[in-house]
Amino acid sequence: MAGRLLLRTCTTALRLRSHAAAGRSHRAMSAVNGIPTDEEQATGLERRTLQAFKQGKDPYSILKAKHNAGTKEDPHIVPCIGTKRLVGCICEEDNSAIVWFWLHEGNAQRCPSCGSHYKLVYHELPH
């Protein structure tokens, strides 16, 4: 008799739990505004990034950088938070070797292999 009572209680509890779970997900999808957009749902760093994009800024350098010619007059811009940075240059498009060199603050410097010019520019971190 106690076994039947326990079995009946467990099955009733499971049935109620499954109905409650199904009801919750159904109500959540039928909200007044519908499914939230990315801007409404974003929090933290993602929210700050989306707000900056709306203002036309690129705070974390996510977008593709402007292509420069690499000449002395129009060098490739390398952002940095210090006074020097290690730069890798793939001199030719189909080359598999990378030429590494240190780029220091000041005037534009040349790649030792191909002669492309690079210039270090101080970059303020957004946070």
Side-chain angles (χ1 to χ4, degrees), residues 45-125:
L45 188 60
E46 182 182 11
R47 182 181 204 108
R48 281 191 272 164
T49 304
L50 289 173
Q51 289 171 349
F53 280 153
K54 282 184 178 179
Q55 296 173 1
K57 299 177 184 175
D58 184 18
Y60 298 102
S61 302
I62 296 173
L63 300 176
K64 185 176 179 182
K66 178 187 159 223
H67 180 70
N68 298 356
T71 61
K72 192 171 188 176
E73 295 78 27
D74 188 22
H76 296 292
I77 302 298
V78 179
C80 183
I81 59 171
T83 59
K84 65 180 181 177
R85 184 169 178 179
L86 189 63
V87 177
C89 180
I90 302 175
C91 298
E92 297 173 12
E93 191 172 316
D94 59 344
N95 197 357
S96 61
I98 301 173
V99 178
W100 296 98
F101 61 96
W102 282 101
L103 187 62
H104 297 277
E105 195 174 38
N107 295 333
Q109 297 172 11
R110 293 181 63 209
C111 169
S113 180
C114 67
S116 290
H117 285 78
Y118 293 87
K119 183 171 183 165
L120 195 69
V121 176
Y122 184 76
H123 178 69
E124 185 71 36
L125 289 177

